[in-house]
Amino acid sequence: LHGRKHTTAQKFANRKIVLASMLSTMKTIARSPGARLIVHNGARAMSYKIDLKGKVCFVAGVADAQGFGWGIVKAFASAGATVIVGTWPPMYKKFLDMIDKGFGEDAILQDGSTLKIDKVYPFDGLYSTVEEVPESVKQHKHYVGLSGYDIKSVAEQVKKDYGKVDYLIHSLANGPEVEKPLLEVSRKGYLGASSSSAYSLIAMVQQFGPFMTSGGSAISISYIAAEKCVPGYGGGMSSAKAALESDTRVLAWEAGRKWGIRINCISAGPAKTRAANAIKKVGTALFIGCGQVSSNDLMCRPRMASLASSIAPSSSTLPTRLLPAASSRPMMSALPPWRSART
């Protein structure tokens, strides 16, 4: 498809493949206990009554009430799960202040109750162990007074506090030079983006996997720039997302057989998050121009969060996949459709 001219027949054939893949996935999800079909404004849609009481969900990368991580927190809390979060140290104290003040309507769950985050941990996905944290970072004003924010230390503390994790959510990314086009990115900036945005998932699965429950799920968030050129999404972030998707497939194979957990990656559509706002040159017109979504699909956070909470439970028979949220991109299966990462 990349730049080639296609006949009308070929275009319809391509669309048919995408629709068939989407239909297959929806049928798989529909077989999950708790799924029901509802009608809204004349359109049929899938709704879920998921009971996650007694389950523990750790969401890494929550620092406000606007990102995808916040939407996922609300979706799991609405289903009854105990939700704990990892917050980037420079935002840690500010986020705690936000929680004390309350988030207003942004904290209201589906049943009308108010969201409760059980615990907030300072968490920096750039460092796997405490030994990796430079002295300059330890002495930085945003890090002074904090400790145990590396991935291994947080995992050990979570295990001590809760004994297990059922669902592990990787909702973090960082590109130090994200505003620079790839031609101008330094090696340090490129590797920094991959380290924070992709390797952090590997490190999280390494540390949390041993005490995750069998049938649990780890979910990360990708973006269409992993496979298509999105001008303005620079700093090596497109490469980092491509690595994240590739790592998802390999981790699904390895972690699925070692600990009985599933690894999924959701490719979300564009939304006005704090991370997106950091890319000053990328606006709504560019997102739409890339052909990813229509202008009516710009607020895809609730749908993406709902999808995450739907595929996470062990009752879901959905195999490990890369799933689109509010986009027309095809789904990519890490394993044959008839096999899950647990078999």
Side-chain angles (χ1 to χ4, degrees):
L1 294 177
H2 302 280
R4 298 179 181 178
K5 293 184 178 179
H6 292 271
T7 64
T8 302
Q10 287 174 319
K11 290 180 179 179
F12 276 109
N14 290 331
R15 292 176 183 175
K16 187 175 181 181
I17 293 173
V18 172
L19 290 173
S21 179
M22 294 177 68
L23 180 60
S24 174
T25 298
M26 289 306 297
K27 286 182 177 179
T28 304
I29 296 177
R31 288 195 291 269
S32 301
R36 63 191 179 91
L37 199 63
I38 63 172
V39 176
H40 179 66
N41 291 337
R44 300 203 302 175
M46 196 64 65
S47 177
Y48 289 86
K49 289 255 185 182
I50 302 174
D51 184 3
L52 299 183
K53 292 183 178 65
K55 304 295 185 180
V56 178
C57 175
F58 178 79
V59 185
V62 182
D64 54 35
Q66 297 179 9
F68 287 125
W70 182 261
I72 292 175
V73 164
K74 290 181 65 177
F76 277 87
S78 292
T82 297
V83 180
I84 54 180
V85 306
T87 299
W88 190 40
M91 293 294 295
Y92 178 69
K93 294 179 182 178
K94 184 177 180 180
F95 186 57
L96 291 180
D97 289 340
M98 291 180 187
I99 293 177
D100 290 338
K101 294 178 182 178
F103 290 96
E105 293 184 0
D106 286 328
I108 302 302
L109 303 180
Q110 293 177 2
D111 61 359
S113 62
T114 302
L115 169 68
K116 177 188 175 184
I117 297 177
D118 211 61
K119 189 169 183 178
V120 181
Y121 298 84
F123 180 90
D124 196 325
L126 188 60
Y127 308 112
S128 300
T129 64
V130 67
E131 290 78 18
E132 293 182 1
V133 184
E135 192 62 31
S136 59
V137 172
K138 295 178 182 179
Q139 300 304 320
H140 193 279
K141 63 179 182 179
H142 292 309
Y143 287 77
V144 171
L146 299 177
S147 61
Y149 43 76
D150 59 283
I151 296 175
K152 182 179 180 181
S153 296
V154 173
E156 291 175 346
Q157 190 60 48
V158 170
K159 182 179 181 181
K160 180 180 178 181
D161 294 341
Y162 297 91
K164 66 165 185 174
V165 164
D166 298 282
Y167 311 121
L168 183 67
I169 311 298
H170 177 280
S171 179
L172 49 91
N174 182 45
E177 301 178 13
V178 69
E179 291 187 28
K180 292 184 178 181
L182 195 58
L183 281 174
E184 298 177 11
V185 176
S186 67
R187 182 183 295 271
K188 182 179 180 181
Y190 184 95
L191 295 178
S194 294
S195 178
S196 298
S197 311
Y199 183 77
S200 52
L201 172 65
I202 298 174
M204 285 178 63
V205 174
Q206 287 175 347
Q207 299 300 330
F208 284 85
F211 63 95
M212 287 184 67
T213 54
S214 179
S217 177
I219 300 173
S220 62
I221 301 173
S222 185
Y223 182 53
I224 197 171
E227 64 177 68
K228 293 183 181 295
C229 176
V230 178
Y233 192 71
M237 280 302 300
S238 56
S239 305
K241 290 300 185 181
L244 181 68
E245 294 183 7
S246 178
D247 294 339
T248 295
R249 290 184 280 268
V250 179
L251 288 173
W253 179 272
E254 296 181 0
R257 282 151 183 77
K258 188 171 186 177
W259 297 306
I261 60 178
R262 288 168 295 125
I263 315 289
N264 289 282
C265 186
I266 299 175
S267 184
K272 292 184 177 181
T273 63
R274 185 165 54 88
N277 289 336
I279 311 173
K280 298 177 182 178
K281 294 181 181 179
V282 180
T284 299
L286 177 57
F287 279 126
I288 297 174
C290 290
Q292 183 180 359
V293 295
S294 69
S295 58
N296 293 325
D297 284 329
L298 291 178
M299 295 308 293
C300 65
R301 187 182 67 181
R303 272 173 287 182
M304 194 279 297
S306 177
L307 177 60
S309 63
S310 298
I311 66 177
S314 57
S315 60
S316 171
T317 57
L318 185 69
T320 297
R321 291 180 179 223
L322 172 66
L323 298 167
S327 78
S328 59
R329 69 181 298 188
M331 302 172 190
M332 298 164 55
S333 179
L335 295 173
W338 58 88
R339 298 178 64 183
S340 72
R342 302 192 299 275
T343 58

